[in-house]
Amino acid sequence: PLPPRPKAGWKRPDATARREAARAAKEKDIPKWFRPCSTYDPIQLPEVGEWLSQHEEKGQNFKSFERVAMRVQPHGHVNVMELLVVGPWPDQVLPLRKLTEYCETFFGGLTVRVARER
């Protein structure tokens, strides 16, 4: 038999709602990097046991995203990003040194370091 359907109040937004959520407050059009395309599928209905099947979430539009109180950028006393490795670091992925360099470049002005084991 099929598993029971989720009971949470979450509903997948339709195409119109997704387009409107991606448009910034004063823009007529959606910025090209947020336009729907074939690269990404709309969010799927949640499976039993997933967060959205158990918690009611309203989602977030672009305007709300822009108003985030905590910016992910250096400010005031916040100028260090610490990467915490959980478990062994696989040899076949990017070396931690390169990841650290990338993060320092991407988040210009931040000092990035790998945390010591805890």
Side-chain angles (χ1 to χ4, degrees):
L2 293 172
R5 297 301 302 161
K7 295 187 188 215
W10 184 84
K11 292 187 177 33
R12 179 177 41 211
D14 63 20
T16 303
R18 289 192 305 268
R19 280 192 302 275
E20 191 58 29
R23 190 174 58 76
K26 295 180 181 177
E27 293 178 328
K28 291 181 184 175
D29 296 316
I30 300 170
K32 67 180 178 181
W33 47 88
F34 289 123
R35 288 186 190 139
C37 64
S38 61
T39 304
Y40 302 102
D41 293 326
I43 190 169
Q44 299 298 310
L45 291 174
E47 298 291 325
V48 173
E50 291 182 334
W51 176 268
L52 286 176
S53 72
Q54 299 174 8
H55 300 86
E56 191 166 338
E57 294 279 344
K58 290 175 62 177
Q60 182 180 38
N61 60 31
F62 189 74
K63 186 163 90 175
S64 172
F65 169 75
E66 285 186 313
R67 288 191 309 247
V68 170
M70 179 71 168
R71 293 277 171 214
V72 183
Q73 62 190 27
H75 62 278
H77 66 282
V78 181
N79 59 4
V80 175
M81 175 189 289
E82 194 167 69
L83 304 175
L84 177 61
V85 179
V86 178
W89 188 260
D91 292 332
Q92 61 270 36
V93 299
L94 189 67
L96 279 173
R97 177 183 52 77
K98 288 287 187 188
L99 179 60
T100 301
E101 290 173 10
Y102 172 81
C103 289
E104 284 180 340
T105 302
F106 186 82
F107 297 102
L110 274 180
T111 298
V112 180
R113 64 182 180 223
V114 178
R116 289 183 258 171
E117 289 186 35
R118 302 189 187 232

